[in-house]
Amino acid sequence: MTLPPNDPRRFTQSPTDPAFVQDPYPAYERMRPLGPAVFWEDYGHWCFHRFDDVNALLRDRRFGREGPNPAPTPEHLKPFADFSRHSLLEREPPAHTRLRTLVNRAFVSRAVERLRPRITALAHELIDRFQADGEVDLIPAFATPIPVVVIAELLGVPADMADQLLDWSHRMVAIYQFNADRAVEDDCVAATVAFSDFLRGYIDQRRAAPGDDLISHLIAAEEAGERLSTDELISTCILLLNAGHEATVHAIGNGVKALLETGLDPALAGESATTEEILRFDAPLHLFTRYALEDVEVGGIAFRTGDVVGLLLGAANRDPARFEAPERLWPGRPDGGHVSLGAGIHFCVGAPLARLELQCALPALFERLPGLRLAASPRFADRYHFHGLEALNLVW
């Protein structure tokens, strides 16, 4: 898609610009006067930034994750493309409906709530390891292990493999970053193959000796005739492991940073209203893309079938037309709500778990470490569209 050179809706902003990486919100503010969407030239597609538009488009069935006219896959990316083709995140109904119905059973609120004692105990176990030191980089010591251990235990994967699971995951999701080069692509494929091979072997073990875990339950569903193939099972497990920790790590880190910088009463850290406001205030994912499934016009823009549309979740969550003082961390705000976890049929399947992990981790941290404060200015990692800290150095 091209625009006349003088079209005012053109927008240029490198996602790797250091100032943007550390604070993307001024760039979003520059978008707002240009209309409901901007043509982000660095990406080469339209991006919507207003809350109402993003919320509506997440639910609009004329757009989806499964492109109707996919471009031929380069040979070197075929293993990753094969994985994606079976992923819940990338499918549309009816395949998406079947996969999501099976996975949803493990993530309904009442099932997740049973994990509260384990998550709380894990948070305290991790704090025990560094409390006496008086200082910590919270990202590797606390924010990272909580979600990866929890999702591994839920799936039935050995928690002592956490470091290896993280390595595979980081290498896979790197392909979604802006301007990923051939080296990143090759490394992503290698991680995808290794992760898939591990899970294929582990699934075989679970077939022979089922346990009380999600992998065993999904195998049982497959064998009961609910048409879950082994490739779908592998892709589902990888997706849950990747998505089950990636966003939550950032949410914990961004949340602690926000609470400390704004001086919010630590006693509020475990409140559900605080969790929701943290997710709104500094979302862990800022850009979510979809494809037009038909020729359609939105916001005065004509999309052809197969066109990419970007939804700027981070910008939508700070939309002044929707939120009073959007730059303020305000738990219990009268105009609450956010799109950090998506909406519509692709609403985050692990949302109840992500919320519970925040509600358990943050109060444990502030209760155990009175006087907690920043030791240095936190810095975000250069990994847009993910928005998370590379380090969070704290002292107490």
Side-chain angles (χ1 to χ4, degrees):
M1 184 181 295
T2 59
L3 289 178
N6 61 347
D7 192 305
R9 296 171 297 176
R10 285 181 174 274
F11 187 83
T12 301
Q13 171 62 67
S14 169
T16 61
D17 174 70
F20 177 81
V21 169
Q22 297 308 314
D23 186 2
Y25 297 105
Y28 300 152
E29 291 307 308
R30 296 202 311 273
M31 295 178 181
R32 301 201 191 280
L34 305 182
V38 297
F39 189 81
W40 196 337
E41 294 192 87
D42 303 78
Y43 281 104
H45 59 69
W46 289 97
C47 289
F48 287 82
H49 53 81
R50 296 175 180 173
F51 181 90
D52 288 345
D53 292 332
V54 170
N55 189 37
L57 285 165
L58 285 167
R59 305 167 191 272
D60 193 329
R61 297 295 297 277
R62 298 172 298 176
F63 295 86
R65 289 288 295 175
E66 198 168 5
N69 302 309
T73 300
E75 188 63 29
H76 74 284
L77 286 177
K78 189 174 183 302
F80 181 74
D82 290 342
F83 152 76
S84 297
R85 188 169 65 250
H86 299 292
S87 172
L88 173 66
L89 180 64
E90 307 298 342
R91 302 304 304 273
E92 292 299 313
H96 175 273
T97 306
R98 173 173 55 85
L99 290 169
R100 177 131 188 166
T101 299
L102 293 170
V103 176
N104 264 347
R105 297 171 184 170
F107 290 97
V108 294
S109 296
R110 63 181 179 276
V112 168
E113 181 60 30
R114 291 198 293 267
L115 298 173
R116 184 180 292 273
R118 172 59 183 137
I119 298 171
T120 299
L122 176 60
H124 285 284
E125 290 168 17
L126 294 169
I127 296 168
D128 287 342
R129 299 177 188 178
F130 57 76
Q131 183 179 22
D133 298 336
E135 62 181 5
V136 71
D137 178 353
L138 199 72
I139 303 303
F142 187 76
T144 297
I146 288 177
V148 74
V149 168
V150 169
I151 196 68
E153 291 180 351
L154 187 64
L155 284 166
V157 176
D160 60 8
M161 284 195 64
D163 289 345
Q164 179 61 76
L165 298 175
L166 284 169
D167 176 67
W168 285 331
S169 176
H170 289 323
R171 291 160 60 195
M172 287 182 69
V173 302
I175 201 170
Y176 297 115
Q177 293 165 212
F178 179 73
N179 275 351
D181 59 19
R182 177 62 186 263
V184 170
E185 292 176 345
D186 288 345
D187 197 43
C188 167
V189 168
T192 302
V193 171
F195 208 161
S196 298
D197 287 347
F198 162 74
L199 280 171
R200 195 176 300 276
Y202 198 76
I203 288 166
D204 288 343
Q205 293 178 31
R206 277 291 184 258
R207 288 189 197 280
D212 185 19
D213 55 69
L214 182 55
I215 289 179
S216 297
H217 294 322
L218 290 174
I219 290 170
E222 174 192 352
E223 293 174 345
E226 295 195 38
R227 298 178 296 117
L228 183 69
S229 72
T230 299
D231 285 340
E232 288 173 335
L233 181 54
I234 290 170
S235 291
T236 298
C237 291
I238 291 177
L239 173 65
L240 292 174
L241 280 160
N242 289 358
H245 87 271
E246 195 76 33
T248 307
V249 171
H250 301 331
I252 292 173
N254 295 358
V256 172
K257 171 183 177 291
L259 291 169
L260 292 175
E261 287 184 335
T262 59
L264 195 71
D265 184 355
L268 299 175
E271 300 291 332
S272 60
T274 305
T275 296
E276 298 309 309
E277 178 64 351
I278 282 171
L279 289 169
R280 180 204 69 83
F281 180 76
D282 210 11
L285 178 69
H286 274 221
L287 172 63
F288 189 65
T289 55
R290 307 184 79 197
Y291 295 95
L293 303 181
E294 60 186 70
D295 292 354
V296 59
E297 183 174 321
V298 179
I301 301 163
F303 292 95
R304 301 294 298 273
T305 302
D307 282 349
V308 177
V309 58
L311 306 179
L312 292 170
L313 311 181
N317 285 342
R318 296 278 190 105
D319 183 359
R322 171 64 173 77
F323 300 102
E324 179 184 353
E327 73 291 345
R328 173 186 170 193
L329 184 69
W330 183 3
R333 60 168 50 247
D335 50 6
H338 58 79
V339 288
S340 298
L341 300 172
I345 66 169
H346 287 292
F347 179 74
C348 176
V349 69
L353 180 57
R355 286 171 162 136
L356 181 62
E357 287 169 336
L358 281 168
Q359 290 168 15
C360 295
L362 298 187
L365 190 70
F366 284 97
E367 288 167 9
R368 292 284 302 277
L369 305 175
L372 190 66
R373 61 191 186 278
L374 297 171
S377 297
R379 294 201 52 85
F380 287 94
D382 182 7
R383 291 199 301 262
Y384 191 83
H385 49 255
F386 301 111
H387 183 64
L389 297 165
E390 60 183 9
L392 182 58
N393 294 302
L394 306 176
V395 292
W396 53 93

